[in-house]
Amino acid sequence: MVKHIVLWNFVEGFSHEEKAEAAKKMAALLEPIKELVPGAVDIRVIQNDMSSSNRDVALISTFDTAEALAAYQCHPAHVEAGKYVRSVTCDRACIDYEL
């Protein structure tokens, strides 16, 4: 199994409501890709409002193999979702690791 975790902040100037709406749209674009990519086990977008966090939103996903992760990353639905994600976020951090 491979975990793929990406963390972002929203672009500066977003209100609380704009952040919530952007996170909701990110989830609507990214989470359904699980059904399109063989080997995708789980894909979730999480917005966290806790003051202890230093990122606004996370993508937490699990894949059967590194090859399944690679297929996800180049899948047309992911490429299209990435256009929106890049338009509303900054400060991307990512970690991929095998379980």
Side-chain angles (χ1 to χ4, degrees), residues 2 19 21 30 34 40 42-43 45 47 67 71 77 82 84 93 95:
V2 175
K19 288 179 181 182
E21 186 59 34
L30 291 166
K34 174 185 159 205
D42 191 37
I43 300 174
V45 173
Q47 182 184 8
E67 292 78 17
Y84 175 74
I95 186 169

Side-chain angles (χ1 to χ4, degrees), residues 13-63:
F14 269 23
S15 68
H16 179 74
E17 292 78 20
E18 289 170 317
K19 288 179 181 182
E21 186 59 34
K24 185 177 176 181
K25 184 167 181 180
M26 288 171 66
L29 292 170
L30 291 166
E31 290 176 356
I33 299 172
K34 174 185 159 205
E35 305 305 322
L36 303 174
V37 176
V41 175
D42 191 37
I43 300 174
R44 294 181 197 200
V45 173
I46 299 165
Q47 182 184 8
N48 191 347
D49 290 331
M50 293 181 68
S51 62
S52 59
S53 298
N54 64 7
R55 292 289 192 260
D56 293 322
V57 65
L59 168 71
I60 301 173
S61 52
T62 307
F63 297 87

